[in-house]
Structure formats: C-alpha cells, structure tokens
Amino acid sequence: MIIKNVKVYTPQKNFVPGVVVTRDGRIHDVLLGEDISVNASEEEPVLDGEGSFCFPGMIDLHFHGCKGYDFCDGTKEAVEEIAKYEASIGVTAIAPATMTLPVDELCDILANGAAYRAEQQNKSVKKEADLVGVNMEGPFISEAKKGAQDARNIIPCDTAVYRKFQEAADGLVKFIGIAPEEGDAVSFIEDVKGEVSVSLAHTNADYETAKKAFDAGADHAVHLYNAMPAFTHREPGVVGAVADSEHVMAEIICDGVHIHPATVRTTFKMMGEDRMILISDSMRAAGMPDGQYTLGGQDVNVKGNKATMVLDGALAGSVTTLPDCVRTVVKEMGISLETAIACATINPARSLGIDALYGSVEQGKKADLVLWDEKLQLVHVMKDGEVIS
C-alpha cells in the first residue's frame, strides 16, 4: 500500500511531509519531501492521508483492561477482546499488567497469555494488538503503598517464584515489580537482571533504598508518583532516585486525574523526554459507561474519567486509553505532540526491547501505523499493512 499526502513522524522526532510504502506487512520505504510521487502498479492500493499525521502504532506497556475485560480474567476471550479494542484505537502492541493475586492464579493468567501469544504469532494478518509482554505489578510489593492491590496476596520478592511466573509465561514477563524495602531486594535484582527488567512498584522506599536497587540493576519505575512516597526537598524518595539513575525509564499516567499538569511538565524537564513512557493504567471500565466494576477482585466505582476503590476511595487505575492520554498531555499539559508520540511509541519499544520491529516509521519495521488529523482525532489505523480502522 502507498500512503500519500501525510506528515510522517521521523526517527528524529519531527513531522515531515512524505509518503510511506508498505508491503508484506512491513514498511518497505519512507520517502520524505513535498510532492513525492511513487510509481504504483494497478494492483497496489493507494491511501490518501489528506494531510494527516502518520506515526507508529502506540505501545501501552502498563494497563489492565478495557471494554469490560481484564487481562487477569485469564481467558482467551478477555485477551482477544482487549487486543481488538486497543488496535482499533491505535494501540498496536500491548504489555498488560497483572495484579497482586495468589501465585497459582497468576501462573494460570500468564499461561493463558502465553497461549494467546503463540496463537497470535501464527496469524499472517490480524486485527488485534500484538501481545509483546506482561508487566507484573505484583505480588512483590509493599502493603503500605498497595493502592488498589489486595494485601492478602502480597509476598516478598523471591527468585524461585519469579522463575515460576516466567516459566508459565513462556518468557513473556518483561517487567517484574518489587518494593525494594521488602525482603532481600538487592540479591533478587542481581539474580534476575538480564532475564527481566526489574521495576520499583507500589513501594514505600526512601531515596537511599531505591537508589541502591537501581544501582544493583533495577531499570524501570511503575507509574511515577503514584503508589510511592511524595517527592519533597528533604525526602526525595523513589522519584529522586529515578532522577539520579539515568538508565531508569519511568512510566507516567497523564489522564488528567493522577498527576497535576505542572508536575508532568516538571518531570519531563527533570528526567528528560527520552526516559519517559506514557501509560494508560486503564482498567476494565475503559471504553465503558459509568458504574461499578472490579479490579484485582475488588470493587471499583467509575464516574467520568475517575476510578476509585469502593472500600476506601483510593484511586484504582484509570479509565482513559493511551491515545487519550497522549491527547491530554498535548492539549492540557504543555507537552509537544512530537515528544508525546515518542513517549507512546519508541520509548516503550526500547524499554520492552522490541525497537528493532516496533516504535518508529522506518524501512523494515512492522507496518503498524496511525493517522490523526490536525485536531488529533483518529483517521485510520493500519495493522500489519492492512487498514483496520
């Protein structure tokens, strides 16, 4: 397919007028410049982008579900319906997050994901987002910062348990979250680094403890600011340790609920845009009407764009999709579109270790593309070289 009359998002993180040619599910060529013409055969379809922005399919590496389904439902139907919906809105690769649940139940959920991924890889063309990993938000977390997690299932970090998870997932676990103040975190990190990215998640660690974990090899921070100590001038906590650890990538939820716009702007200045990853952290109510839902087996009230625990009113994930987080961070938080797109495409691709195929509009990469108009509204989604939305 020839996609003409678009503004192409380049690896230099800018938009340039051009043409994208896709063949056999991959990007065959990218031609930049005004008035580019391409010789097409009669059989080759042409899509006129009518001046829209053309950028890589987005990658959400931390969310729980949407459209009434949760990855932790542990069924093929749940994963398939989640993947279909995400692809339809322009999120073409996903790494869903697990909750803090019993170990055996988590193993069943991971095995279900692995089976779905194996089946998905045998499809030549599909209309679902690629399942590229799993982000384990629990169970190795802190009860003090459990948020919407179930404290009954929290356990200290354990190498044998992690390897049991990874075996069930057939290697699909890409992030394993820990609270470094609980158990022998440094030994755990040294045991598993190179096998998986260790993230700091739902932790009450102070600066020194968090920094020690990062120095040992942890390289990821789960939803920065949320479920961790506040960043203050005398107690910089996990946020300060992330800032001082340049190898660490940080997730951030920009739904307009979790973090104040001024804090988002400050964080981008402090960390640098290359380390920031936009996530949705959406739960099953995303794309659904207001009402009562569940997250990790616990009841959640949803009203508008806010989800709170019935039990104690704590924030319970989000009900905002990743594309809407990108729109919010651009329209309401003062982050440029060019930066926001990078934080939803190439940055998560690099963090997941899949940037050889995903995350940028370059020759040889997967032909997963999104077209937005000047108002940042969806025009088309292309998955594996086929227009699906």
Side-chain angles (χ1 to χ4, degrees):
M1 178 176 289
I2 295 172
I3 308 166
K4 67 176 186 177
N5 192 17
V6 289
K7 294 184 280 287
V8 181
Y9 187 70
T10 75
Q12 290 71 44
K13 302 177 184 177
N14 59 359
F15 286 99
V16 178
V19 172
V20 179
V21 181
T22 71
R23 288 174 189 159
D24 299 321
R26 297 293 180 91
I27 297 171
H28 178 75
D29 208 354
V30 182
L31 306 169
L32 301 178
E34 300 278 1
D35 302 320
I36 295 289
S37 61
V38 179
N39 293 324
S41 66
E42 292 183 2
E43 296 81 19
E44 190 161 27
V46 177
L47 177 66
D48 187 345
E50 300 180 341
S52 57
F53 297 109
C54 176
F55 55 89
M58 287 171 272
I59 303 168
D60 199 346
L61 59 65
H62 187 148
F63 78 110
H64 298 274
C66 54
K67 297 300 284 185
Y69 295 94
D70 190 297
F71 181 71
C72 284
D73 291 345
T75 66
K76 176 185 174 182
E77 178 187 13
V79 184
E80 187 170 57
E81 292 303 315
I82 288 168
K84 284 180 180 178
Y85 178 71
E86 293 294 329
S88 75
I89 60 174
V91 180
T92 57
I94 55 174
T98 56
M99 296 290 287
T100 295
L101 297 165
V103 168
D104 288 344
E105 186 175 341
L106 284 168
C107 286
D108 290 342
I109 290 163
L110 294 168
N112 178 68
Y116 179 79
R117 176 59 173 161
E119 181 180 306
Q120 195 178 55
Q121 288 177 322
N122 290 326
K123 295 181 180 179
S124 57
V125 177
K126 51 189 174 291
K127 295 184 179 181
E128 307 112 38
D130 294 343
L131 180 61
V132 295
V134 174
N135 189 337
M136 294 201 73
E137 195 174 356
F140 306 146
I141 61 172
S142 163
E143 185 171 350
K145 292 292 182 180
K146 65 182 179 61
Q149 310 275 354
D150 191 335
R152 294 172 297 177
N153 299 314
I154 293 173
I155 57 176
C157 55
D158 184 298
T159 301
V161 174
Y162 153 71
R163 294 220 167 101
K164 186 176 181 180
F165 290 150
Q166 196 67 283
E167 182 180 4
D170 195 20
L172 201 58
V173 176
K174 300 298 182 182
F175 303 98
I176 185 75
I178 68 167
E181 72 276 21
E182 304 290 342
D184 191 353
V186 169
S187 293
F188 175 82
I189 295 166
E190 291 172 345
D191 283 346
V192 306
K193 67 181 179 182
E195 301 176 29
V196 68
S197 285
V198 178
S199 57
L200 268 55
H202 290 264
T203 170
N204 203 33
D206 58 15
Y207 172 89
E208 288 76 18
T209 304
K211 188 65 167 62
K212 188 180 294 185
F214 290 136
D215 289 345
D219 61 4
H220 195 83
V222 168
H223 44 50
L224 203 66
Y225 296 104
N226 298 113
M228 62 182 60
F231 173 74
T232 71
H233 62 300
R234 289 195 180 93
E235 297 290 343
V238 177
V239 176
V242 173
D244 281 350
S245 305
E246 294 185 359
H247 68 289
V248 176
M249 303 286 281
E251 305 171 0
I252 192 165
I253 308 169
C254 295
D255 60 351
V257 174
H258 281 75
I259 305 173
H260 192 281
T263 302
V264 171
R265 290 189 291 273
T266 300
T267 305
F268 270 77
K269 293 173 185 175
M270 180 168 60
M271 307 292 180
E273 63 185 54
D274 290 342
R275 296 171 58 196
M276 302 304 301
I277 299 171
L278 294 180
I279 63 166
S280 71
D281 198 22
S282 68
M283 45 92 75
R284 69 171 78 243
M288 300 289 285
D290 289 356
Q292 186 166 304
Y293 298 86
T294 60
L295 179 64
Q298 300 186 90
D299 292 332
V300 175
N301 278 328
V302 172
K303 186 173 183 179
N305 66 342
K306 191 172 184 179
T308 55
M309 298 291 295
V310 170
L311 181 65
D312 58 11
L315 282 176
S318 88
V319 291
T320 304
T321 64
L322 181 58
D324 279 339
C325 287
V326 172
R327 295 182 181 102
T328 298
V329 82
V330 173
K331 293 182 176 182
E332 301 177 20
M333 297 182 175
I335 304 300
S336 71
L337 176 61
E338 290 82 357
T339 294
I341 293 298
C343 296
T345 57
I346 191 61
N347 289 4
R350 287 174 178 154
S351 189
L352 284 159
I354 60 172
D355 51 307
L357 283 178
Y358 299 82
S360 60
V361 184
E362 294 182 86
Q363 188 178 47
K365 291 198 175 185
K366 285 176 65 75
D368 296 349
L369 302 167
V370 178
L371 272 61
W372 276 4
D373 64 20
E374 292 288 340
K375 295 182 178 179
L376 310 188
Q377 295 304 305
L378 182 65
V379 177
H380 290 296
V381 176
M382 176 176 285
K383 184 76 185 68
D384 295 306
E386 298 286 335
V387 177
I388 65 167
S389 180

